[in-house]
Structure formats: structure tokens, C-alpha cells
Amino acid sequence: MTDALTDKARAEALVELTGWSLVPGREAITRTYAFASFADAIGFMVRAAIHADRIDHHPEWTNVYRKVHVTLTSHDIGGLSQRDVELARILDKLT
Amino acid sequence: MTDALTDKARAEALVELTGWSLVPGREAITRTYAFASFADAIGFMVRAAIHADRIDHHPEWTNVYRKVHVTLTSHDIGGLSQRDVELARILDKLT
């Protein structure tokens, strides 16, 4: 079972995850990545998708041309968990 | 230059494009595709992305697990054009 982040763990995660912010009114974090081209944006999504599926934790994400807006939350607990932090770290490493 | 659809062409396109609907308050059409798996949803996006880039007309689209929500509009004219109809047809053929 996924555990919700404690307040302390959440605060620490947000300090660590530069570029990510809390979604107003929602237990979720978000980041927008900008790439040099549409092909680069889709390439990122493909690489990220394989990692996400491997850890069985999937982003909500929107692509508009060269940009990818990512939102992470743990639907099973209706909040943020260590799995969101893990996926955010993976995505950041891919860029 | 992209031309906006005439009212008649737009009405005909919406009859032809089963499953697509106008976005309330916006000159855009939208459709949600549901797939059997996350991998299938991403696979669709990859195939669609290659076609979209070839015709240089790009969707706004959101993936949430097995679903892909697509919105099409022609940003250069701030409305719907034949290019949106063309891309919608391509996406439908890929599913």
C-alpha cells in the first residue's frame, strides 16, 4: 500500500524537486518541461512512459507542441506519496 | 495560409467526424480515445505524433493512464481549419 507523505517529507521533497510546485487546491505536484522541438517533447514522453510503466506509476501529462505539462499524484491514496517523488526524480533525470 | 472553415464546411465536418465535438467556448474540436493499456495509449501518441509532425499540424493532447484526450485547433487563425479535419481523420484511422 502506498503511504501518503508526512508534512515533513512533503516539504523536503518540494525543496529537493526544483521546478516542481504544488497544484493549487489539489494534492498533486506539477512541472512544465520545454524542449527544442515537438519531436524532442514526444521523445521525452516515450522514454518517460517506459520508466513510468516499469514502476507502475503514471503521470497525467499534456503535450502542446514543444512543451510537456506533467502532474503527479497518487490516485490510490488521493494525495502525494513517495512514488510521486520517485517519478519526478526520474523525469528530471531524463531531461 | 490556413483558411477558417466556412459554417457549412464545419457543420459537415462535425457530421463526418463521429466521436468529435466542439469545445464549449472555444473554436476547437475534441475527442477522447480509450485504449486497453497505458502502453497502447502511448503507442497511439507516438504513431500520431509522426503523422502530425509530417503535416506540421500538432494536437493539444493529454494522457491519463489508458486515455488520450485530444483537442484540435488552428492556432495561426484562432479557429478551425481543414487541417484540423485532416488531422482528426488521421487520428481516427490510427485507432
Side-chain angles (χ1 to χ4, degrees), chain B residues 54-81:
Chain B
R54 184 175 50 76
I55 65 170
D56 196 25
H57 193 56
H58 303 84
E60 300 172 18
W61 47 0
T62 298
N63 162 244
V64 181
Y65 199 45
R66 298 185 300 105
K67 291 189 177 174
V68 180
H69 310 280
V70 182
T71 299
L72 303 180
T73 190
S74 296
H75 295 99
D76 52 347
I77 60 164
L80 286 168
S81 75

Side-chain angles (χ1 to χ4, degrees), chain B residues 3-26:
Chain B
D3 287 327
L5 290 181
T6 62
D7 287 351
K8 181 167 176 288
R10 192 166 88 155
E12 286 172 357
L14 283 165
V15 169
E16 175 208 325
L17 296 170
T18 311
W20 291 83
S21 57
L22 285 169
V23 179
R26 197 175 162 201

Side-chain angles (χ1 to χ4, degrees), chain A residues 1-41:
Chain A
M1 178 60 190
T2 308
D3 287 326
L5 291 181
T6 63
D7 287 350
K8 182 167 175 288
R10 192 165 86 155
E12 286 172 354
L14 283 165
V15 169
E16 176 208 325
L17 296 170
T18 311
W20 291 84
S21 57
L22 284 169
V23 179
R26 198 175 162 202
E27 283 290 313
I29 54 173
T30 187
R31 177 168 190 177
T32 296
Y33 298 101
F35 298 90
S37 67
F38 175 70
D40 282 357

Side-chain angles (χ1 to χ4, degrees), chain B residues 40-54:
Chain B
D40 283 357
I42 299 298
F44 163 76
M45 292 183 78
V46 173
R47 294 157 64 220
I50 291 169
H51 288 280
D53 214 44
R54 184 175 50 76

Side-chain angles (χ1 to χ4, degrees), chain A residues 24-62:
Chain A
R26 198 175 162 202
E27 283 290 313
I29 54 173
T30 187
R31 177 168 190 177
T32 296
Y33 298 101
F35 298 90
S37 67
F38 175 70
D40 282 357
I42 299 299
F44 163 75
M45 291 182 78
V46 173
R47 293 156 65 218
I50 292 169
H51 288 280
D53 214 45
R54 184 176 49 76
I55 65 170
D56 196 24
H57 193 55
H58 303 84
E60 300 172 19
W61 46 1
T62 298

Side-chain angles (χ1 to χ4, degrees), chain A residues 30-90:
Chain A
T30 187
R31 177 168 190 177
T32 296
Y33 298 101
F35 298 90
S37 67
F38 175 70
D40 282 357
I42 299 299
F44 163 75
M45 291 182 78
V46 173
R47 293 156 65 218
I50 292 169
H51 288 280
D53 214 45
R54 184 176 49 76
I55 65 170
D56 196 24
H57 193 55
H58 303 84
E60 300 172 19
W61 46 1
T62 298
N63 162 245
V64 181
Y65 198 44
R66 297 185 301 106
K67 291 188 177 174
V68 179
H69 311 279
V70 182
T71 300
L72 302 180
T73 190
S74 296
H75 295 99
D76 55 345
I77 61 164
L80 286 168
S81 76
Q82 194 56 37
R83 305 176 74 205
D84 299 304
V85 177
E86 182 187 1
L87 184 52
R89 286 180 186 143
I90 289 171

